[in-house]
Amino acid sequence: MPNPYFKFKRFTVYHDLCAMKVGTDGVLLGAWINVTEAEKALDIGTGTGLITLMLAQRKDKLHIDAIDIDHNAMEQAKENIKHSPFSDQIQAFESSLQHFRESRQQYDLIVSNPPFFIQSLKSPHKERTLARHTDSLSLEELLEISAVLLTSKGKLSIIYPSEHKETLFSLSKKLELYPSRITNVYPTPVSLPKRILIEFSKTELPLIENNLIIEKERHVYSDEFTELVQDFYLKM
């Protein structure tokens, strides 16, 4: 039977009620995001609350709102947040992004590990389909609403499949969101990039781009990946 939780160095994430379990994508994004100048953040589609908790660990005065449309995920996220050392920094809301935009709150940091399965076979489980597919939140809606909720100097950070990079850039350009930082994620030194970590700004800034290899060989993490996530994973 799969373990119902994933234990990190400073918090534990239960994920047995969530469609999407703790995975490398979320950990990568949570560790990669630049939180230096952020004071108020929004985590869109928080799921288990993983990225929210990682951000709270990284900056003790950062206030974070976390939203998710799935009831079970939100209930589990609230429990994970409640039992963490960071509960006073976080508020969690069961809400779609489309509804949440009506609050017109402003954030200097917005983050999301968004749904990106567009035409793939859907799961028979409604919650997993909701979490994995763009039916409930398209990429264009994510970018457009984020642009509305960001402050003038705010940043949007997401992780997305590398194969859809051009679509992502095309949409963001129309919405006047400009890439300011990019990391291309390679599973191994000989593989093609699988994910792109990208930070958008509302003003054009000099682009910083680099690459990240996860494993230099089977079950042996690269030095750069280890450095990125070592504050979180127990055995690093």
Side-chain angles (χ1 to χ4, degrees):
M1 183 176 178
N3 202 325
Y5 64 86
F6 198 103
K7 189 171 181 59
F8 292 89
K9 286 182 177 177
R10 294 190 60 193
F11 57 86
T12 298
V13 175
Y14 279 82
H15 56 190
D16 53 304
L17 300 181
C18 291
M20 298 304 293
K21 311 304 181 185
V22 170
T24 305
D25 282 5
V27 175
L28 272 172
L29 182 61
W32 179 86
I33 293 164
N34 184 353
V35 298
T36 306
E37 298 179 2
E39 296 181 2
K40 189 175 182 182
L42 173 65
D43 179 11
I44 300 169
T46 191
T48 60
L50 169 63
I51 294 172
T52 286
L53 291 167
M54 292 180 72
L55 296 181
Q57 175 180 320
R58 293 181 57 203
K59 189 166 186 179
D60 60 8
K61 292 185 179 180
L62 178 63
H63 172 79
I64 308 157
D65 289 339
I67 64 171
D68 203 293
I69 196 172
D70 181 74
H71 177 72
N72 288 338
M74 182 47 61
E75 289 302 302
Q76 189 140 64
K78 287 179 178 178
E79 284 298 306
N80 288 331
I81 292 163
K82 177 182 176 181
H83 295 291
S84 77
F86 318 114
S87 58
D88 61 343
Q89 292 176 243
I90 303 165
Q91 285 187 294
F93 305 92
E94 184 179 332
S95 174
S96 67
L97 179 59
Q98 294 90 334
H99 179 73
F100 195 77
R101 75 178 293 175
E102 295 174 11
S103 68
R104 290 286 174 170
Q105 296 191 60
Q106 293 284 287
Y107 298 90
D108 47 27
L109 175 62
I110 297 178
V111 304
S112 185
N113 177 9
F116 50 72
F117 288 82
I118 300 169
Q119 294 177 327
S120 57
L121 185 65
K122 295 189 177 183
S123 167
H125 301 288
K126 178 183 176 183
E127 293 82 4
R128 189 164 177 81
T129 293
L130 193 65
R132 291 167 65 89
H133 288 263
T134 61
D135 296 27
S136 59
L137 179 64
S138 69
L139 177 59
E140 188 168 11
E141 283 179 305
L142 171 65
L143 296 174
E144 187 269 323
I145 298 173
S146 294
V148 170
L149 299 179
L150 278 173
T151 63
S152 60
K153 295 183 179 180
K155 304 290 178 62
L156 166 67
S157 294
I158 70 172
I159 185 167
Y160 214 67
S162 297
E163 64 190 279
H164 299 310
K165 181 165 66 173
E166 294 309 314
T167 300
L168 178 60
F169 288 166
S170 176
L171 288 173
S172 65
K173 185 177 181 179
K174 291 178 184 177
L175 295 164
E176 298 183 322
L177 289 171
Y178 305 100
S180 53
R181 191 162 65 104
I182 292 172
T183 295
N184 300 295
V185 181
Y186 294 76
T188 70
V190 297
S191 62
L192 294 172
K194 186 177 180 182
R195 296 285 185 265
I196 179 173
L197 291 157
I198 182 163
E199 175 188 271
F200 291 103
S201 300
K202 296 182 80 171
T203 55
E204 291 193 72
L205 300 170
L207 176 61
I208 300 170
E209 184 168 5
N210 59 17
N211 299 327
L212 173 68
I213 295 168
I214 295 179
E215 290 183 324
K216 52 187 177 183
E217 57 184 270
R218 183 86 172 146
H219 300 311
V220 180
Y221 290 124
S222 70
D223 293 343
E224 60 264 37
F225 178 77
T226 300
E227 182 180 0
L228 183 65
V229 302
Q230 64 185 353
D231 288 343
F232 302 98
Y233 281 138
L234 281 174
K235 295 181 179 180
M236 287 188 177

